[in-house]
Amino acid sequence: RAPMSERVRVMLVDDDELMRKGLAAVLSSDERIEVVAEAGNGRQAVQRARHARPHVVLMDVRMPELDGIAATRELIAGAPEARVVILTTFEEEDYILGALRAGASGFLLKRSSPEQLIAAIHTVAAGDALLSPSVTRRVIDRMAAQPLVGDAADPRLEELTPREREVLELIAQGLSNPEIAAALTVEETTVKTHVKRVLLKTGARDRVHAVILAYESGIVTPGRT
């Protein structure tokens, strides 16, 4: 994540040069953001990220040489501090789930307003996941509809206390921190602490990846949401 005092370093990845120029122009209106690199395909993105060290990568999905999902997986392996936001015109669940499984931290539609784009960059740079409630719900519905591929004996889950496991179950049902606080009758600050510990112990990059882990390991099953 980007330190508070530092400008957010952004890399733009899209095979449409006009799109890249448009994004760069929008981001240049915020003095706390610096575009440090551009790439026209996924292969270039993986190579350039190692040198550019971006905090946030805006990644197109459909590109030649290496698509955005494969590029996300490789880029994060080579530059684990980078956080990827998939920028797309598509809302299909396959892209959402594939991108998140590859390690993306969020999903933004190309028709988003300049204000939404800038806010998204800062959200992800601060270490938060970026998914609209409708997209989160869709991911959860999709995970719930799939047969379990994991095993409830995932060693990462064994580290959790009963309360942390309970919090993970509620996150996986799509509840926000205030909703979890109400459900457990605790302060929201307490929930935030539990969420941080859940992410730390499971190694999940953010709460969306915690949701994926919860379903794949069987801690939450379709009948319980």
Side-chain angles (χ1 to χ4, degrees):
R1 67 180 65 182
M4 293 297 286
S5 58
E6 196 179 338
R7 292 168 87 190
V8 180
R9 298 168 62 82
V10 176
M11 181 164 86
L12 306 175
V13 186
D14 198 302
D15 60 345
D16 181 342
E17 187 181 359
L18 201 59
M19 185 73 193
R20 294 200 309 273
K21 296 298 178 231
L23 290 168
V26 167
L27 297 180
S28 69
S29 69
D30 188 323
E31 59 191 22
R32 297 168 299 159
I33 292 174
E34 180 185 8
V35 176
V36 293
E38 293 184 21
N41 62 55
R43 180 65 58 214
Q44 277 183 359
V46 172
Q47 292 164 350
R48 291 178 184 175
R50 293 191 182 115
H51 304 291
R53 295 180 296 103
H55 297 126
V56 178
V57 179
L58 287 183
M59 179 83 75
D60 190 23
V61 171
R62 291 189 173 174
M63 292 182 295
E65 302 218 16
L66 198 64
D67 71 36
I69 292 173
T72 295
R73 191 174 289 110
E74 285 193 32
L75 191 151
I76 288 171
E81 69 286 351
R83 300 181 71 84
V84 176
V85 174
I86 299 290
L87 194 63
T88 184
T89 52
F90 309 99
E91 290 185 84
E92 289 101 333
E93 290 89 338
D94 287 340
Y95 284 118
I96 296 170
L97 212 48
L100 295 173
R101 281 204 170 113
S105 293
F107 216 85
L108 197 65
L109 295 172
K110 285 184 176 177
R111 63 168 182 262
S112 300
S113 69
E115 293 77 16
Q116 287 172 320
L117 176 64
I118 287 169
I121 298 282
H122 289 298
T123 296
V124 172
D128 294 323
L130 177 79
L131 282 183
S132 68
S134 63
V135 173
T136 307
R137 188 73 251 168
R138 211 176 297 146
V139 170
I140 289 170
D141 290 345
R142 183 65 180 264
M143 293 297 299
Q146 290 180 335
L148 294 173
V149 289
D151 179 348
D154 190 306
R156 291 174 293 178
L157 298 175
E158 291 171 9
E159 301 289 315
L160 301 180
T161 65
R163 179 42 66 98
E164 287 162 359
R165 202 177 170 97
E166 202 174 2
V167 167
L168 176 55
E169 287 181 23
L170 294 172
I171 291 172
Q173 289 170 31
L175 272 64
S176 64
N177 285 356
E179 288 168 338
I180 294 171
L184 299 178
T185 328
V186 295
E187 295 290 330
E188 194 179 337
T189 49
T190 306
V191 173
K192 284 181 181 171
T193 303
H194 286 317
V195 171
K196 275 184 188 163
R197 287 188 184 143
V198 167
L199 298 183
L200 194 64
K201 289 181 179 180
T202 59
R205 284 171 72 85
D206 48 50
R207 64 196 292 140
V208 180
H209 296 105
V211 169
I212 292 174
L213 172 67
Y215 277 101
E216 292 190 333
S217 63
I219 191 172
V220 177
T221 55
R224 292 172 60 188
T225 56

